Amino acid sequence: MDVSLGQELCGYRDQSLLVVLNVRQLGILDQVFRPIMVGELIEVTNDYAVFVNVNIKMTNAPEFIFPTPLIIPLDKIAWFMPFSPDIRFSIY
């Protein structure tokens, strides 16, 4: 449990964040991608953060918005910053 990260994230509730996870890669819907995403933070606890309207930055589907809220354990968040979902960037 990372209470300090949870407390810091609370200040960003209802804002859009760019989040990078501390895993090498993830897989969803038979697609493997880097753990980079942009979404609106709606809930934070001492153990996890909940994001909605998450744009998972996949090279073959750069506009993919995950259809349900994503619950991310705080210990998997490597880095985050406020970020507009309208900004496009290369992940190559």
Side-chain angles (χ1 to χ4, degrees):
M1 162 169 57
D2 191 338
V3 175
S4 62
L5 177 58
Q7 290 172 340
E8 186 177 356
L9 279 169
C10 279
Y12 294 98
R13 191 174 297 140
D14 299 322
Q15 293 184 41
S16 180
L17 299 176
L18 173 68
V19 177
V20 178
L21 304 181
N22 63 7
V23 295
R24 192 179 288 273
Q25 62 185 18
L26 294 171
I28 295 177
L29 305 172
D30 294 327
Q31 299 295 317
V32 176
F33 57 93
R34 292 183 179 106
I36 302 168
M37 54 196 74
V38 176
E40 180 185 345
L41 178 64
I42 62 165
E43 182 182 345
V44 181
T45 73
N46 289 339
D47 297 314
Y48 61 86
V50 180
F51 293 85
V52 294
N53 301 321
V54 177
N55 175 216
I56 298 173
K57 300 297 185 180
M58 293 187 274
T59 55
N60 57 342
E63 304 303 319
F64 178 73
I65 303 295
F66 202 72
T68 64
L70 285 182
I71 299 170
I72 301 174
L74 295 183
D75 64 349
K76 298 299 180 196
I77 297 175
W79 183 82
F80 72 91
M81 67 177 271
F83 196 84
S84 170
D86 298 327
I87 297 174
R88 302 292 179 240
F89 61 91
S90 175
I91 57 173
Y92 290 104

Coordinates of all heavy atoms in Angstrom, one line a residue:
M1 N 0.8 -1.2 0.0 CA 0.0 0.0 0.0 C 0.9 1.2 0.0 O 1.8 1.3 0.8 CB -0.9 -0.1 1.2 CG -1.5 1.2 1.6 SD -2.8 1.1 2.9 CE -2.0 0.3 4.2
D2 N 0.6 2.2 -0.9 CA 1.4 3.4 -1.0 C 0.5 4.6 -0.7 O -0.1 5.2 -1.5 CB 2.0 3.6 -2.4 CG 3.0 4.7 -2.5 OD1 3.0 5.6 -1.6 OD2 3.8 4.6 -3.4
V3 N 0.4 4.9 0.6 CA -0.5 5.9 1.1 C -0.1 7.3 0.5 O -1.0 8.1 0.1 CB -0.5 6.0 2.7 CG1 -1.4 7.1 3.2 CG2 -1.1 4.6 3.2
S4 N 1.2 7.6 0.5 CA 1.6 8.9 0.0 C 1.2 9.1 -1.5 O 0.8 10.2 -1.9 CB 3.1 9.1 0.2 OG 3.9 8.2 -0.6
L5 N 1.4 8.1 -2.3 CA 0.9 8.2 -3.7 C -0.6 8.4 -3.8 O -1.1 9.2 -4.5 CB 1.4 7.0 -4.5 CG 0.9 6.9 -6.0 CD1 1.4 8.1 -6.7 CD2 1.3 5.7 -6.6
G6 N -1.3 7.7 -3.0 CA -2.8 7.8 -2.9 C -3.2 9.2 -2.5 O -4.0 9.8 -3.1
Q7 N -2.5 9.8 -1.5 CA -2.8 11.2 -1.1 C -2.4 12.1 -2.2 O -3.2 13.1 -2.5 CB -2.0 11.5 0.2 CG -2.5 10.7 1.4 CD -1.6 10.9 2.6 OE1 -0.4 11.3 2.5 NE2 -2.1 10.6 3.7
E8 N -1.3 11.9 -2.9 CA -0.9 12.8 -4.0 C -1.9 12.8 -5.1 O -2.4 13.8 -5.7 CB 0.5 12.5 -4.5 CG 1.0 13.4 -5.5 CD 2.4 13.1 -6.0 OE1 3.0 12.2 -5.4 OE2 2.9 13.8 -6.9
L9 N -2.4 11.6 -5.5 CA -3.3 11.4 -6.6 C -4.7 12.0 -6.2 O -5.4 12.5 -7.1 CB -3.5 9.9 -6.9 CG -2.5 9.3 -7.8 CD1 -2.6 7.8 -7.8 CD2 -2.6 9.8 -9.2
C10 N -5.0 12.0 -5.0 CA -6.3 12.7 -4.6 C -6.4 14.1 -5.1 O -7.5 14.6 -5.4 CB -6.5 12.6 -3.1 SG -7.1 11.0 -2.5
G11 N -5.3 14.8 -5.1 CA -5.3 16.2 -5.6 C -5.6 16.3 -7.1 O -5.9 17.4 -7.6
Y12 N -5.6 15.2 -7.8 CA -5.9 15.2 -9.2 C -7.2 14.6 -9.6 O -7.5 14.3 -10.8 CB -4.7 14.4 -10.0 CG -3.4 15.1 -9.9 CD1 -2.5 14.7 -8.9 CD2 -3.1 16.2 -10.7 CE1 -1.3 15.4 -8.8 CE2 -1.9 16.8 -10.6 CZ -1.0 16.4 -9.7 OH 0.2 17.1 -9.6
R13 N -8.0 14.3 -8.6 CA -9.3 13.7 -8.9 C -10.1 14.5 -9.9 O -10.1 15.8 -9.8 CB -10.1 13.5 -7.6 CG -11.4 12.6 -7.8 CD -12.1 12.3 -6.5 NE -11.2 11.5 -5.6 CZ -11.1 11.7 -4.3 NH1 -11.8 12.7 -3.7 NH2 -10.3 11.0 -3.6
D14 N -10.8 13.9 -10.8 CA -11.6 14.5 -11.8 C -10.8 15.3 -12.9 O -11.3 16.1 -13.6 CB -12.7 15.5 -11.2 CG -13.7 14.7 -10.3 OD1 -14.0 13.6 -10.7 OD2 -14.1 15.3 -9.3
Q15 N -9.5 14.9 -12.9 CA -8.6 15.5 -14.0 C -8.1 14.3 -14.9 O -8.1 13.2 -14.5 CB -7.4 16.2 -13.3 CG -7.8 17.4 -12.6 CD -6.6 18.1 -12.1 OE1 -5.6 18.2 -12.8 NE2 -6.6 18.6 -10.8
S16 N -7.7 14.7 -16.0 CA -7.1 13.8 -17.0 C -5.6 13.6 -16.7 O -4.9 14.6 -16.6 CB -7.4 14.2 -18.4 OG -6.8 13.3 -19.3
L17 N -5.2 12.4 -16.6 CA -3.8 12.1 -16.3 C -3.1 11.2 -17.3 O -3.8 10.3 -17.8 CB -3.6 11.5 -14.9 CG -4.1 12.2 -13.7 CD1 -4.0 11.4 -12.4 CD2 -3.4 13.5 -13.5
L18 N -1.9 11.4 -17.6 CA -1.1 10.4 -18.4 C -0.4 9.5 -17.3 O 0.2 10.0 -16.3 CB 0.0 11.2 -19.2 CG 1.0 10.3 -19.9 CD1 0.4 9.5 -21.0 CD2 2.2 11.1 -20.4
V19 N -0.6 8.2 -17.4 CA -0.1 7.3 -16.4 C 0.8 6.3 -17.1 O 0.4 5.7 -18.2 CB -1.3 6.6 -15.8 CG1 -0.8 5.5 -14.8 CG2 -2.2 7.5 -15.1
V20 N 1.9 6.0 -16.5 CA 2.8 4.9 -17.0 C 2.9 3.9 -15.9 O 3.1 4.3 -14.7 CB 4.2 5.5 -17.3 CG1 5.1 4.4 -17.8 CG2 4.1 6.6 -18.4
L21 N 2.7 2.6 -16.2 CA 2.8 1.6 -15.2 C 4.2 1.0 -15.2 O 4.9 1.0 -16.1 CB 1.7 0.5 -15.5 CG 0.3 1.0 -15.6 CD1 -0.7 -0.2 -15.9 CD2 -0.1 1.8 -14.4
N22 N 4.5 0.4 -14.0 CA 5.8 -0.2 -13.9 C 5.9 -1.7 -14.3 O 6.4 -2.5 -13.6 CB 6.4 0.0 -12.5 CG 5.6 -0.7 -11.4 OD1 4.6 -1.4 -11.7 ND2 5.9 -0.4 -10.1
V23 N 5.3 -2.0 -15.4 CA 5.4 -3.3 -16.0 C 5.9 -3.2 -17.4 O 5.8 -2.1 -18.0 CB 4.0 -4.1 -16.0 CG1 3.6 -4.4 -14.6 CG2 3.0 -3.3 -16.8
R24 N 6.5 -4.2 -18.0 CA 7.1 -4.1 -19.3 C 6.1 -3.9 -20.4 O 6.2 -3.1 -21.3 CB 8.0 -5.3 -19.5 CG 8.9 -5.1 -20.8 CD 9.8 -6.3 -21.0 NE 10.8 -6.5 -20.0 CZ 12.0 -5.9 -20.1 NH1 12.3 -5.2 -21.2 NH2 13.0 -6.2 -19.3
Q25 N 5.0 -4.7 -20.3 CA 4.0 -4.7 -21.3 C 2.7 -5.2 -20.7 O 2.7 -5.9 -19.7 CB 4.3 -5.4 -22.6 CG 4.6 -6.9 -22.3 CD 5.1 -7.6 -23.6 OE1 5.6 -7.0 -24.5 NE2 5.0 -8.9 -23.6
L26 N 1.6 -4.9 -21.3 CA 0.3 -5.4 -20.9 C -0.4 -6.0 -22.1 O 0.0 -5.7 -23.3 CB -0.6 -4.2 -20.4 CG -0.1 -3.5 -19.1 CD1 -1.0 -2.3 -18.9 CD2 -0.2 -4.5 -18.0
G27 N -1.4 -6.8 -21.9 CA -2.2 -7.4 -23.0 C -3.7 -7.2 -22.7 O -4.2 -7.6 -21.6
I28 N -4.4 -6.7 -23.7 CA -5.9 -6.6 -23.6 C -6.4 -6.9 -25.0 O -5.9 -6.4 -26.0 CB -6.3 -5.2 -23.2 CG1 -5.9 -4.9 -21.8 CG2 -7.8 -5.1 -23.3 CD1 -6.2 -3.5 -21.3
L29 N -7.5 -7.7 -25.1 CA -8.1 -8.0 -26.3 C -7.1 -8.6 -27.4 O -7.1 -8.2 -28.5 CB -8.8 -6.8 -26.9 CG -9.9 -6.1 -26.0 CD1 -10.3 -4.8 -26.6 CD2 -11.0 -7.1 -25.7
D30 N -6.2 -9.5 -26.9 CA -5.2 -10.1 -27.8 C -4.2 -9.1 -28.4 O -3.6 -9.4 -29.4 CB -5.9 -10.9 -28.9 CG -6.6 -12.1 -28.4 OD1 -6.2 -12.7 -27.4 OD2 -7.7 -12.4 -29.0
Q31 N -4.1 -7.9 -27.8 CA -3.1 -6.9 -28.2 C -2.2 -6.7 -27.1 O -2.5 -6.5 -25.9 CB -3.8 -5.6 -28.5 CG -4.8 -5.7 -29.6 CD -4.2 -6.0 -31.0 OE1 -3.2 -5.5 -31.3 NE2 -4.9 -6.9 -31.7
V32 N -0.9 -6.7 -27.4 CA 0.2 -6.4 -26.4 C 0.6 -4.9 -26.7 O 0.8 -4.5 -27.8 CB 1.4 -7.4 -26.6 CG1 2.5 -7.0 -25.7 CG2 0.9 -8.8 -26.4
F33 N 0.8 -4.2 -25.6 CA 1.1 -2.8 -25.7 C 1.9 -2.3 -24.5 O 2.0 -3.0 -23.5 CB -0.2 -1.9 -25.8 CG -1.1 -2.1 -24.7 CD1 -1.1 -1.3 -23.6 CD2 -2.1 -3.2 -24.7 CE1 -2.0 -1.5 -22.5 CE2 -2.9 -3.3 -23.7 CZ -2.9 -2.5 -22.6
R34 N 2.6 -1.1 -24.7 CA 3.3 -0.5 -23.6 C 2.3 0.0 -22.6 O 1.2 0.4 -22.9 CB 4.1 0.6 -24.2 CG 5.3 0.2 -25.0 CD 6.1 1.4 -25.5 NE 7.2 0.9 -26.3 CZ 7.2 1.1 -27.6 NH1 6.3 1.7 -28.2 NH2 8.3 0.7 -28.3
P35 N 2.7 0.0 -21.3 CA 1.7 0.4 -20.3 C 1.6 2.0 -20.1 O 2.0 2.5 -19.1 CB 2.3 -0.2 -19.0 CG 3.8 -0.2 -19.3 CD 3.9 -0.5 -20.8
I36 N 1.2 2.6 -21.2 CA 1.0 4.1 -21.2 C -0.5 4.4 -21.5 O -1.0 3.8 -22.5 CB 1.9 4.7 -22.3 CG1 3.4 4.3 -22.1 CG2 1.7 6.2 -22.3 CD1 4.3 4.7 -23.2
M37 N -1.1 5.2 -20.7 CA -2.5 5.5 -20.9 C -2.9 6.9 -20.4 O -2.2 7.4 -19.6 CB -3.4 4.4 -20.3 CG -3.1 4.2 -18.8 SD -3.8 2.6 -18.2 CE -2.7 1.5 -18.9
V38 N -3.9 7.4 -20.9 CA -4.5 8.7 -20.5 C -5.9 8.5 -20.1 O -6.7 7.9 -20.9 CB -4.4 9.8 -21.6 CG1 -5.0 11.1 -21.1 CG2 -2.9 10.0 -22.0
G39 N -6.3 8.9 -18.9 CA -7.7 8.8 -18.5 C -8.0 9.7 -17.3 O -7.2 10.3 -16.7
E40 N -9.3 9.8 -17.1 CA -9.8 10.7 -16.0 C -9.8 9.9 -14.7 O -10.5 8.9 -14.6 CB -11.2 11.2 -16.4 CG -11.8 12.1 -15.3 CD -13.2 12.5 -15.6 OE1 -13.7 12.4 -16.7 OE2 -13.8 13.0 -14.7
L41 N -9.2 10.5 -13.7 CA -9.1 9.9 -12.4 C -10.4 10.2 -11.7 O -10.8 11.4 -11.5 CB -7.9 10.4 -11.6 CG -7.8 9.9 -10.2 CD1 -7.5 8.4 -10.1 CD2 -6.7 10.7 -9.5
I42 N -11.2 9.2 -11.2 CA -12.4 9.4 -10.6 C -12.5 9.0 -9.1 O -13.3 9.4 -8.3 CB -13.6 8.8 -11.3 CG1 -13.5 7.3 -11.4 CG2 -13.8 9.4 -12.7 CD1 -14.8 6.6 -11.8
E43 N -11.6 8.1 -8.7 CA -11.6 7.6 -7.4 C -10.2 7.1 -7.0 O -9.4 6.6 -7.8 CB -12.5 6.4 -7.2 CG -12.6 5.8 -5.8 CD -13.5 4.6 -5.8 OE1 -14.3 4.3 -6.7 OE2 -13.5 3.9 -4.7
V44 N -9.8 7.4 -5.7 CA -8.5 7.0 -5.2 C -8.7 6.4 -3.8 O -9.5 7.0 -3.0 CB -7.5 8.2 -5.1 CG1 -6.2 7.7 -4.6 CG2 -7.3 8.8 -6.4
T45 N -8.1 5.3 -3.5 CA -8.1 4.7 -2.2 C -6.6 4.5 -1.8 O -5.7 4.9 -2.5 CB -8.8 3.3 -2.1 OG1 -8.0 2.3 -2.8 CG2 -10.2 3.4 -2.8
N46 N -6.4 3.9 -0.6 CA -5.0 3.6 -0.2 C -4.4 2.5 -1.0 O -3.2 2.3 -1.0 CB -5.0 3.2 1.3 CG -5.2 4.4 2.2 OD1 -5.1 5.6 1.8 ND2 -5.6 4.1 3.4
D47 N -5.2 1.8 -1.8 CA -4.7 0.6 -2.6 C -4.8 0.8 -4.1 O -4.0 0.1 -4.8 CB -5.4 -0.6 -2.2 CG -5.2 -1.0 -0.7 OD1 -4.1 -0.9 -0.2 OD2 -6.2 -1.3 0.0
Y48 N -5.7 1.6 -4.6 CA -5.9 1.6 -6.0 C -6.5 3.0 -6.5 O -7.0 3.7 -5.7 CB -6.8 0.5 -6.5 CG -8.2 0.5 -5.9 CD1 -9.2 1.3 -6.5 CD2 -8.5 -0.2 -4.8 CE1 -10.5 1.3 -6.0 CE2 -9.8 -0.2 -4.2 CZ -10.8 0.6 -4.9 OH -12.0 0.7 -4.3
A49 N -6.4 3.2 -7.8 CA -7.0 4.4 -8.4 C -7.9 3.9 -9.5 O -7.6 2.9 -10.2 CB -5.9 5.3 -9.0
V50 N -9.0 4.6 -9.7 CA -10.0 4.2 -10.8 C -10.0 5.3 -11.8 O -10.2 6.5 -11.5 CB -11.4 4.0 -10.2 CG1 -12.4 3.6 -11.3 CG2 -11.4 3.0 -9.1
F51 N -9.8 4.9 -13.1 CA -9.8 5.8 -14.2 C -11.0 5.4 -15.2 O -11.3 4.3 -15.4 CB -8.5 5.7 -15.0 CG -7.3 6.2 -14.2 CD1 -6.7 5.4 -13.3 CD2 -6.9 7.5 -14.3 CE1 -5.6 5.8 -12.6 CE2 -5.8 8.0 -13.6 CZ -5.1 7.1 -12.7
V52 N -11.6 6.5 -15.8 CA -12.6 6.3 -16.8 C -12.1 7.0 -18.1 O -11.2 7.8 -18.1 CB -14.0 6.8 -16.4 CG1 -14.5 6.0 -15.2 CG2 -13.9 8.3 -16.1
N53 N -12.8 6.6 -19.2 CA -12.5 7.1 -20.5 C -11.0 7.0 -20.8 O -10.3 8.0 -21.3 CB -12.9 8.6 -20.6 CG -14.4 8.8 -20.4 OD1 -15.2 8.0 -20.9 ND2 -14.8 9.8 -19.7
V54 N -10.4 5.8 -20.5 CA -9.0 5.6 -20.7 C -8.6 5.3 -22.1 O -9.1 4.4 -22.7 CB -8.6 4.4 -19.8 CG1 -7.1 4.1 -19.9 CG2 -8.9 4.7 -18.3
N55 N -7.7 6.2 -22.6 CA -7.2 6.0 -24.0 C -5.9 5.2 -23.8 O -4.9 5.7 -23.3 CB -6.9 7.3 -24.6 CG -6.2 7.2 -26.0 OD1 -5.4 8.1 -26.3 ND2 -6.5 6.2 -26.7
I56 N -5.9 3.9 -24.1 CA -4.7 3.1 -24.0 C -3.9 3.4 -25.3 O -4.4 3.2 -26.4 CB -5.1 1.6 -23.9 CG1 -5.9 1.4 -22.6 CG2 -3.8 0.7 -23.9 CD1 -6.4 0.0 -22.4
K57 N -2.6 3.7 -25.1 CA -1.8 4.1 -26.2 C -1.2 2.9 -26.9 O -0.1 2.4 -26.6 CB -0.6 5.0 -25.7 CG -1.2 6.3 -25.0 CD -1.9 7.1 -26.0 CE -2.4 8.5 -25.5 NZ -3.1 9.3 -26.4
M58 N -2.0 2.3 -27.8 CA -1.6 1.2 -28.6 C -1.2 1.7 -30.0 O -1.9 2.5 -30.6 CB -2.7 0.1 -28.7 CG -3.0 -0.5 -27.4 SD -4.2 -1.9 -27.6 CE -5.7 -1.0 -27.5
T59 N -0.1 1.2 -30.6 CA 0.3 1.6 -31.9 C -0.6 1.3 -33.0 O -0.8 2.1 -33.9 CB 1.7 1.1 -32.2 OG1 1.7 -0.4 -32.1 CG2 2.8 1.6 -31.3
N60 N -1.3 0.1 -32.9 CA -2.2 -0.3 -33.9 C -3.7 0.2 -33.7 O -4.5 0.0 -34.5 CB -2.2 -1.8 -34.1 CG -2.5 -2.5 -32.8 OD1 -2.5 -1.9 -31.8 ND2 -2.9 -3.8 -32.9
A61 N -3.9 0.9 -32.6 CA -5.3 1.4 -32.3 C -5.1 2.6 -31.3 O -5.5 2.6 -30.2 CB -6.1 0.4 -31.6
P62 N -4.5 3.7 -31.9 CA -4.1 4.8 -31.0 C -5.3 5.6 -30.4 O -5.2 6.3 -29.5 CB -3.3 5.7 -32.0 CG -3.8 5.4 -33.3 CD -4.1 3.9 -33.3
E63 N -6.5 5.4 -30.9 CA -7.7 6.1 -30.4 C -8.6 5.2 -29.6 O -9.7 5.5 -29.2 CB -8.5 6.7 -31.6 CG -7.7 7.6 -32.5 CD -7.1 8.8 -31.7 OE1 -7.8 9.3 -30.8 OE2 -6.0 9.1 -32.0
F64 N -8.1 4.0 -29.2 CA -8.9 3.0 -28.4 C -9.2 3.6 -27.0 O -8.3 3.9 -26.3 CB -8.1 1.7 -28.3 CG -8.9 0.7 -27.5 CD1 -10.0 0.1 -28.0 CD2 -8.5 0.4 -26.2 CE1 -10.7 -0.9 -27.3 CE2 -9.2 -0.6 -25.5 CZ -10.3 -1.2 -26.0
I65 N -10.5 3.7 -26.7 CA -10.9 4.1 -25.4 C -11.5 2.8 -24.7 O -12.4 2.2 -25.2 CB -12.0 5.2 -25.5 CG1 -11.5 6.4 -26.2 CG2 -12.5 5.5 -24.0 CD1 -10.4 7.2 -25.6
F66 N -10.9 2.5 -23.6 CA -11.3 1.3 -22.9 C -12.8 1.4 -22.5 O -13.2 2.5 -21.9 CB -10.4 1.0 -21.7 CG -10.5 -0.4 -21.2 CD1 -9.9 -1.4 -22.0 CD2 -11.1 -0.8 -20.1 CE1 -9.9 -2.8 -21.6 CE2 -11.2 -2.1 -19.7 CZ -10.6 -3.1 -20.5
P67 N -13.6 0.4 -22.7 CA -15.1 0.6 -22.5 C -15.6 0.6 -21.1 O -16.7 0.9 -20.8 CB -15.7 -0.6 -23.3 CG -14.6 -1.6 -23.2 CD -13.3 -0.9 -23.3
T68 N -14.7 0.2 -20.1 CA -15.2 0.2 -18.7 C -14.1 0.9 -17.9 O -13.0 1.2 -18.3 CB -15.3 -1.2 -18.2 OG1 -14.0 -1.9 -18.2 CG2 -16.3 -2.0 -19.0
P69 N -14.4 1.3 -16.6 CA -13.4 1.9 -15.8 C -12.3 0.9 -15.6 O -12.5 -0.3 -15.5 CB -14.2 2.2 -14.5 CG -15.6 2.2 -14.8 CD -15.8 1.3 -16.0
L70 N -11.1 1.5 -15.4 CA -9.9 0.7 -15.1 C -9.5 0.9 -13.7 O -9.3 2.1 -13.3 CB -8.7 1.0 -16.0 CG -8.8 0.5 -17.5 CD1 -7.5 0.9 -18.2 CD2 -8.9 -1.0 -17.5
I71 N -9.3 -0.1 -13.0 CA -8.8 -0.1 -11.6 C -7.3 -0.5 -11.6 O -7.0 -1.6 -12.0 CB -9.6 -1.0 -10.7 CG1 -11.1 -0.6 -10.7 CG2 -9.1 -1.0 -9.2 CD1 -12.0 -1.6 -10.0
I72 N -6.5 0.5 -11.2 CA -5.0 0.3 -11.2 C -4.5 0.3 -9.8 O -4.7 1.3 -9.1 CB -4.4 1.4 -12.1 CG1 -4.9 1.3 -13.5 CG2 -2.9 1.2 -12.0 CD1 -4.4 2.5 -14.3
P73 N -3.8 -0.8 -9.4 CA -3.2 -0.8 -8.0 C -2.1 0.3 -8.0 O -1.4 0.5 -8.9 CB -2.6 -2.2 -7.9 CG -3.3 -3.0 -9.0 CD -3.7 -2.1 -10.1
L74 N -2.1 1.0 -6.9 CA -1.1 2.1 -6.7 C 0.3 1.6 -6.9 O 1.1 2.3 -7.4 CB -1.3 2.8 -5.4 CG -2.6 3.5 -5.2 CD1 -2.6 4.3 -3.8 CD2 -2.9 4.5 -6.3
D75 N 0.6 0.4 -6.4 CA 2.0 -0.1 -6.5 C 2.4 -0.4 -8.0 O 3.6 -0.7 -8.2 CB 2.2 -1.3 -5.6 CG 1.4 -2.5 -6.0 OD1 0.5 -2.4 -6.8 OD2 1.7 -3.6 -5.4
K76 N 1.5 -0.3 -8.9 CA 1.8 -0.5 -10.3 C 2.0 0.8 -11.1 O 2.4 0.8 -12.2 CB 0.7 -1.4 -11.0 CG 0.6 -2.7 -10.5 CD 1.9 -3.5 -10.6 CE 1.7 -4.9 -10.0 NZ 2.9 -5.6 -9.8
I77 N 1.7 1.9 -10.4 CA 1.9 3.2 -11.1 C 3.3 3.7 -10.9 O 3.8 3.9 -9.8 CB 0.9 4.3 -10.5 CG1 -0.5 3.8 -10.8 CG2 1.2 5.6 -11.1 CD1 -1.6 4.7 -10.2
A78 N 4.0 3.8 -12.0 CA 5.4 4.2 -12.0 C 5.5 5.8 -12.1 O 6.4 6.3 -11.5 CB 6.2 3.6 -13.2
W79 N 4.6 6.4 -12.8 CA 4.7 7.8 -13.1 C 3.4 8.3 -13.6 O 2.7 7.6 -14.2 CB 5.8 8.0 -14.1 CG 6.1 9.4 -14.5 CD1 7.0 10.3 -13.8 CD2 5.7 10.1 -15.6 NE1 7.0 11.5 -14.4 CE2 6.3 11.4 -15.6 CE3 4.9 9.8 -16.7 CZ2 6.0 12.4 -16.5 CZ3 4.6 10.8 -17.6 CH2 5.2 12.0 -17.5
F80 N 3.1 9.6 -13.3 CA 1.9 10.2 -13.8 C 2.0 11.7 -13.9 O 2.9 12.3 -13.2 CB 0.6 9.9 -13.0 CG 0.6 10.6 -11.6 CD1 0.0 11.8 -11.5 CD2 1.2 10.0 -10.5 CE1 0.0 12.4 -10.3 CE2 1.2 10.6 -9.3 CZ 0.6 11.9 -9.2
M81 N 1.2 12.4 -14.7 CA 1.2 13.8 -14.8 C -0.1 14.3 -15.4 O -0.7 13.5 -16.2 CB 2.4 14.3 -15.6 CG 2.3 14.0 -17.1 SD 3.6 14.7 -18.1 CE 2.9 16.2 -18.6
P82 N -0.6 15.5 -15.1 CA -1.8 16.0 -15.8 C -1.5 16.0 -17.3 O -0.4 16.4 -17.7 CB -1.9 17.4 -15.2 CG -1.2 17.3 -13.9 CD -0.1 16.4 -14.1
F83 N -2.5 15.6 -18.1 CA -2.3 15.5 -19.5 C -3.7 15.6 -20.2 O -4.6 14.9 -19.8 CB -1.6 14.2 -19.8 CG -1.0 14.2 -21.2 CD1 0.3 14.7 -21.4 CD2 -1.7 13.6 -22.2 CE1 0.8 14.6 -22.7 CE2 -1.1 13.5 -23.5 CZ 0.1 14.0 -23.7
S84 N -3.7 16.4 -21.2 CA -5.0 16.4 -22.0 C -5.1 15.2 -22.9 O -4.2 14.9 -23.6 CB -5.0 17.7 -22.9 OG -6.1 17.7 -23.8
P85 N -6.3 14.6 -22.9 CA -6.5 13.4 -23.8 C -6.5 13.8 -25.3 O -6.4 13.0 -26.2 CB -7.8 12.9 -23.4 CG -8.5 14.0 -22.7 CD -7.5 14.9 -22.1
D86 N -6.6 15.1 -25.6 CA -6.6 15.6 -27.0 C -5.2 15.7 -27.6 O -5.0 15.8 -28.8 CB -7.2 17.0 -27.1 CG -8.7 16.9 -26.6 OD1 -9.4 15.9 -26.9 OD2 -9.2 17.9 -26.1
I87 N -4.2 15.6 -26.8 CA -2.8 15.7 -27.2 C -2.4 14.3 -27.8 O -2.5 13.3 -27.1 CB -1.8 16.2 -26.1 CG1 -2.2 17.6 -25.7 CG2 -0.4 16.1 -26.6 CD1 -1.4 18.0 -24.5
R88 N -1.9 14.3 -29.0 CA -1.4 13.1 -29.6 C 0.1 13.0 -29.6 O 0.8 14.1 -29.7 CB -1.8 13.0 -31.1 CG -3.3 13.1 -31.3 CD -4.0 11.9 -30.8 NE -5.5 12.0 -30.9 CZ -6.3 11.9 -29.9 NH1 -5.9 11.8 -28.7 NH2 -7.6 12.0 -30.1
F89 N 0.7 11.9 -29.4 CA 2.1 11.7 -29.4 C 2.5 10.3 -29.8 O 1.7 9.4 -29.7 CB 2.7 12.0 -28.0 CG 2.2 11.1 -26.9 CD1 2.9 9.9 -26.6 CD2 1.1 11.4 -26.2 CE1 2.5 9.1 -25.6 CE2 0.6 10.6 -25.2 CZ 1.3 9.4 -24.9
S90 N 3.7 10.2 -30.4 CA 4.2 8.9 -30.9 C 4.7 8.1 -29.7 O 5.3 8.5 -28.8 CB 5.3 9.2 -31.9 OG 5.9 7.9 -32.3
I91 N 4.4 6.8 -29.8 CA 4.9 5.9 -28.7 C 5.9 4.9 -29.3 O 6.2 3.9 -28.7 CB 3.7 5.1 -28.0 CG1 2.9 4.4 -29.0 CG2 2.9 6.1 -27.2 CD1 1.8 3.5 -28.4
Y92 N 6.4 5.2 -30.5 CA 7.4 4.3 -31.1 C 8.7 4.5 -30.4 O 9.1 5.5 -29.9 CB 7.6 4.6 -32.6 CG 6.4 4.2 -33.4 CD1 5.5 5.1 -33.8 CD2 6.2 2.8 -33.6 CE1 4.4 4.7 -34.6 CE2 5.1 2.4 -34.3 CZ 4.2 3.3 -34.8 OH 3.1 3.0 -35.5

